[in-house]
Amino acid sequence: GGVPLEGQVSLRYERATNQLSLRDSRLRTPNASIEVAGTLMQTLRVKFQATNLDDVRPAMEFGGATEPLPVRLDGKGSVQFEGTVSGSLQSPLVAGQVRASSAIWGELHADALSSTVVASAERLTLTRFSVTHEGATANGSGTIELRNWKVSGASAIDVRAEARGMN
């Protein structure tokens, strides 16, 4: 079975310019919601929140993604993103604010995290990030080289951080 989906999408297609615009469009599953407005292939304003990223998987597969998300949430976790997606769907640039709680990325666990992000298939830039886990906090900024949206063993990582409460 699929994930139940409800919402409203307001589209406008301009044939003369071949532009597809979305106005105040909203979609919701039991554990995720997204609001989108803007022009496809130019800039979309996006607000996204989820408490279970499995609800997003069918949309990712529809968009051609074959790999699972590198981030997951534990049973009480959540993630929010507010920002923009610009450029083509094949090579988007994502920029905005991310906040998450009870998030897991590989072997890294975070009770809470927040950052300003700029991401493309080749690079993830974090500005003013803050990560907290079991009383320890790290703050900083940095850049991680990606290959098709993934960190590899050859990825260059340049991070400047300050940590407190580490044991």
Side-chain angles (χ1 to χ4, degrees):
V3 175
L5 178 67
E6 66 180 40
Q8 71 180 46
V9 177
S10 177
L11 298 171
R12 179 183 174 110
Y13 176 69
E14 291 284 339
R15 186 175 184 161
T17 58
N18 198 30
Q19 290 183 333
L20 182 64
S21 299
L22 293 108
R23 293 175 300 220
D24 301 323
S25 298
R26 296 172 181 82
L27 296 172
R28 177 186 316 235
T29 68
N31 300 297
S33 67
I34 189 167
E35 297 177 18
V36 181
T39 302
L40 199 62
M41 307 295 279
Q42 290 182 10
T43 301
L44 296 172
R45 291 177 310 284
V46 177
K47 288 183 183 178
F48 170 78
Q49 60 184 14
T51 55
N52 183 339
L53 293 173
D54 288 340
D55 279 17
V56 184
R57 186 166 309 206
M60 290 181 56
E61 289 171 357
F62 179 77
T66 57
E67 303 272 336
L69 284 170
V71 177
R72 61 189 194 281
L73 304 171
D74 77 5
K76 62 187 181 296
S78 66
V79 64
Q80 298 87 34
F81 170 80
E82 185 168 346
T84 60
V85 177
S86 56
S88 71
L89 294 178
Q90 292 77 22
S91 185
L93 180 67
V94 179
Q97 298 288 321
V98 173
R99 295 190 192 296
S101 63
S102 300
I104 303 164
W105 183 28
E107 298 299 316
L108 301 173
H109 295 249
D111 297 332
L113 68 88
S114 65
S115 184
T116 299
V117 300
V118 177
S120 69
E122 299 83 30
R123 180 180 316 269
L124 171 63
T125 301
L126 306 169
T127 308
R128 296 185 314 271
F129 73 77
S130 177
V131 180
T132 304
H133 180 64
E134 295 180 351
T137 301
N139 299 296
S141 61
T143 302
I144 302 171
E145 182 180 85
L146 304 175
R147 291 213 166 94
N148 199 25
W149 297 97
K150 294 184 211 168
V151 176
S152 73
S155 292
I157 299 174
D158 178 14
V159 174
R160 293 155 305 288
E162 181 179 295
R164 292 184 307 279
M166 307 289 280
N167 291 332

